[in-house]
Amino acid sequence: MSQIGFNKTESGLLVPASRLLVGGKFCGQHIRNGRVIDEWEDHNLVVNEGLNALLNIMFNGSTQITTWYMGVFEGNYTPVATVTAATITSASTECTAYASATRPEYVEATASAQSITNSANRASFVFNATKTVYGAFLISNNTKSGTSGTLFSAARFSSSKAVESTDELLLTYTFAASSV
């Protein structure tokens, strides 16, 4: 069997032989004292574990993962394709210094125009300590620092976010697929 080549693009992975482009992005707002002090958009890496889950659920009868959660990390870390749910918390130094007892749920709307997002219900992280946040991830486990489940994607922000106690980060994740 021949190996299908792919190209990494700013928008995701392009598989020319299949005419398929898939990818995602994290968008965020940093709010302090009720004011937006920063906004950003960063493309993510859909990790191998996430790609395998996607393929197995769609084409191999694996059980659908019905609920996803968002996490943030405070380590100066750049995600790699081989990171998993079992390793993301330690590799990235997951940040747990926020008010919620669990990771915020990713509440997505129905897919439309080959895209799915939580833009109508962004994940909220209200911090209870001063931290530097370097990135975010999407995972099937709601437990802070939990290492089971499936990691779908992760991104290092283009610039770190210096948060203070009571600051809020609002995060949106959008995943899209298209024929090209």
Side-chain angles (χ1 to χ4, degrees):
M1 178 163 90
S2 68
Q3 193 167 7
I4 296 177
F6 65 91
N7 298 316
K8 290 183 180 180
T9 72
E10 184 176 302
S11 299
L13 288 179
L14 172 64
V15 186
S18 299
R19 302 182 52 95
L20 177 67
L21 176 65
V22 295
K25 64 182 175 182
F26 286 90
C27 299
Q29 285 187 322
H30 182 177
I31 299 168
R32 180 173 293 148
N33 299 322
R35 290 188 19 245
V36 175
I37 63 169
D38 190 17
E39 293 183 288
W40 67 94
E41 178 179 300
D42 289 298
H43 290 276
N44 74 298
L45 173 67
V46 178
V47 300
N48 294 346
E49 185 172 59
L51 291 170
N52 287 336
L54 178 70
L55 294 169
N56 283 324
I57 291 165
M58 291 302 300
F59 301 108
N60 196 32
S62 291
T63 301
Q64 178 185 4
I65 299 168
T66 57
T67 309
W68 292 91
Y69 304 90
M70 297 181 88
V72 292
F73 57 87
E74 61 185 76
N76 188 359
Y77 171 75
T78 300
V80 295
T82 55
V83 70
T84 66
T87 61
I88 187 71
T89 61
S90 61
S92 69
T93 313
E94 181 177 1
C95 179
T96 60
Y98 52 91
S100 174
T102 61
R103 293 172 177 148
E105 186 174 342
Y106 174 76
V107 181
E108 74 281 0
T110 301
S112 173
Q114 300 75 52
S115 178
I116 196 161
T117 184
N118 68 323
S119 61
N121 194 350
R122 299 176 291 178
S124 171
F125 296 84
V126 178
F127 292 87
N128 53 25
T130 298
K131 293 287 182 178
T132 301
V133 176
Y134 286 91
F137 56 91
L138 186 68
I139 193 166
S140 66
N141 182 340
N142 73 341
T143 304
K144 288 181 177 180
S145 296
T147 57
S148 63
T150 300
L151 178 67
F152 186 75
S153 68
R156 179 187 171 101
F157 300 147
S158 53
S159 63
S160 61
K161 311 304 168 195
V163 298
E164 298 175 1
S165 185
T166 73
D167 281 6
E168 181 179 27
L169 290 186
L170 290 173
L171 293 181
T172 299
Y173 180 68
T174 303
F175 181 75
S178 63
S179 291
V180 292

